[in-house]
């Protein structure tokens, strides 16, 4: 149960956010040692309160560690967490050994006592201690389920799938990553406190790299991204380790055999035990009939377009987007040179040029993905030259991508949900326990965008199962779901069949009604048909 609780937090970090940390032992040990120190050395009488204080300490340490480690991504993030965990292990064994007990740990951790007034419950037997731990595991699971089903949980899943696009639709992904890291730290700290209480002794090996490694392997065995997986993985891991040592008497080779079992489980159950059961359920579940809403939603397009909050009424024909002397150099290569560009409110502008002319780089500078070498960018009279892509999107300027940038593991509806959340909640909000279905206006925004891009009948289909033309429409839909007043479209017709091109051109005509469009496109017939100026 303790490993399972420890794993819930790690699963939120790894399975739901995609951040692989090998340093959770530092936070596990910190929470446990602070709680044990209070109960043994200080003589603090309230066991549960001491555990909560240790949990807070682990959360604060997690915040500080996250601020450092999250400056890098991928393998560099993982290596930083390894290094930080080793630092904590060294500090616990040497400079702070007088507080932590060093290699001896902290013995004498008391068991919890619950006073109800009319009676007192002592958790000093195996059965009562198991009930105590099971209760806290249940609370931890309930809280985790609320978190992953909240708007924050949805954004974390988007970051796992495609952090670049999550930022581009208006989410502050660094803040959300840090949130996930702190949540994992809090779970680790609380589990560490429970470890000391269960054993009556806070062991120093809580800080070791072996602890972090076991956590990763248990989560992989049980199934990352399932929340229940770490508990199942821990049960399998602990049972096998005990079986190999005490029943088969393998001696020191038990880790070798357990390692081989781990490899086999990961190879043949790629999503772990719980993930495999979920996959099996979806495979054998009776196929649902498709929603035949295609024709029913067409007349709703005009109504859909009228309710978006960021859609601004047309304010004359003055410039809404302006670039002055925009230049971008990569070393000795000049991608764009001294571009002066102005788009009027409500205009549909075409931008053409051969491959390699710098069109996509120009768009990236306008939306904050690339910092210009020289020049200025103004949006509605406000300079946005040095704003990042998230800040630019939040002002009402965004773009679709030349190569699809979607969230492949999510459904069409969930993809649009990610973008719409940024529009209605802002770049960052800690509504961790809010039901995502209760966000005002969210369902209507998604339904409206689905109707507009003609994907209502495919709303609950995963992106990986869409046809290419549907993915291109969803790519445009992601940009639309942020409710921009100015939308940049980078080759929206690329790779489409003739029929898909006709449908997408009509889509562009529909969406321009309430916003300004700038379109980069190689299909000259479409550009001439759509654009007022080229």
């Amino acid at each position: 149960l303790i490993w399972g609780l420890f794993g819930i937090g790690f699963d939120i970090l790894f399975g739901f956010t995609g951040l692989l940390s090998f340093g959770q032992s530092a936070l596990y040990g910190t929470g446990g040692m602070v709680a044990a120190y209070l109960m043994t050395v200080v003589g603090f009488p309230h066991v549960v309160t001491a555990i909560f204080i240790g949990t807070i300490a682990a959360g604060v340490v997690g915040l500080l560690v996250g601020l450092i480690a999250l400056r890098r991504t991928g393998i560099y993030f993982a290596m930083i967490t390894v290094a930080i965990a080793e630092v904590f292990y060294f500090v616990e064994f040497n400079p702070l050994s007088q507080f932590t007990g060093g290699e001896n740990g902290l013995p004498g951790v008391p068991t919890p006592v619950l006073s109800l007034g009319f009676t007192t419950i002592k958790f000093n037997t195996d059965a009562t201690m198991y009930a105590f731990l099971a209760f806290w595991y249940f609370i931890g699971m309930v809280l985790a389920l609320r978190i992953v089903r909240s708007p924050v949980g949805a954004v974390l899943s988007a970051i796992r799938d495609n952090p670049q696009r999550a930022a581009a639709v208006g989410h502050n992904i660094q803040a959300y990553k840090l949130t996930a890291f702190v949540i994992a730290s809090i779970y680790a700290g609380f589990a560490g406190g429970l470890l000391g209480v269960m054993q009556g002794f806070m062991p120093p090996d809580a800080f070791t790299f072996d602890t972090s490694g076991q956590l990763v392997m248990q989560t992989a065995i049980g199934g990352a991204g399932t929340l229940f997986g770490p508990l199942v993985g821990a049960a399998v891991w602990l049972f096998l380790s005990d079986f190999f040592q005490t029943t088969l008497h393998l001696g020191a080779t038990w880790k070798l055999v357990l390692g081989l079992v781990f490899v086999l489980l990961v190879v043949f159950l790629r999503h772990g035990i719980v993930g495999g059961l979920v996959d099996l359920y979806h495979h054998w579940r009776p196929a649902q009939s498709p929603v035949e809403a295609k024709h029913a939603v067409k007349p709703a397009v005009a109504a859909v377009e009228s309710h978006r909050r960021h859609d601004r009424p047309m304010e004359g024909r003055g410039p809404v987007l302006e670039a002055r002397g925009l230049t971008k150099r990569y070393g000795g290569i000049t991608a764009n040179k001294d571009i002066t560009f102005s788009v009027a409110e409500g205009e549909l502008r075409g931008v053409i040029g051969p491959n390699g002319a710098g069109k996509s780089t120009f768009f990236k500078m306008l939306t904050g993905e690339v910092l210009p070498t020289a020049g200025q960018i103004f949006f509605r009279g406000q300079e946005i030259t040095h704003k990042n892509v998230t800040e630019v999107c939040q002002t009402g300027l965004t773009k679709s991508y030349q190569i699809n940038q979607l969230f492949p593991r999510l459904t069409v509806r969930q993809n649009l949900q990610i973008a719409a959340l940024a529009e209605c909640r802002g770049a960052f909000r800690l509504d961790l326990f809010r039901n995502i279905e209760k966000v005002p206006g969210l369902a209507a925004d998604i339904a409206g965008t689905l109707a507009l891009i003609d994907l209502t009948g495919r709303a609950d289909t995963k992106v990986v199962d869409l046809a290419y033309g549907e993915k291109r429409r969803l790519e445009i839909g992601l940009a639309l779901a942020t409710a921009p007043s100015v939308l940049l479209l980078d080759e929206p017709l690329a790779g489409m069949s003739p029929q898909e091109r006709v449908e997408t051109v009509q889509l562009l005509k529909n969406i321009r009604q309430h916003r300004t469009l700038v379109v980069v496109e190689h299909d000259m017939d479409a550009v001439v048909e759509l654009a007022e100026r080229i």
Side-chain angles (χ1 to χ4, degrees), residues 7 9 163 327 351 366 415 464:
T327 298
V351 177
L366 293 177
N415 268 255
V464 292

Side-chain angles (χ1 to χ4, degrees), residues 328-336 361 364-365 369-371 373:
K328 181 61 184 178
R329 296 188 184 91
Y330 295 98
I333 299 173
T334 301
N336 301 111
T361 303
K364 287 178 179 179
M365 285 192 287
E369 289 182 84
V370 170
L371 186 66
T373 305

Side-chain angles (χ1 to χ4, degrees), residues 1 41 79 95 104 113 157 196 212 250 255 303 321 330 341-342 381 388 390 398 404 491 495:
L1 286 167
V41 179
M79 291 301 98
N104 297 316
V113 176
S157 296
S212 292
L250 294 180
K255 285 191 176 182
L321 178 63
Y330 295 98
F341 181 81
S342 177
N388 61 38
T390 299
T398 192
N404 293 332
E491 297 193 31

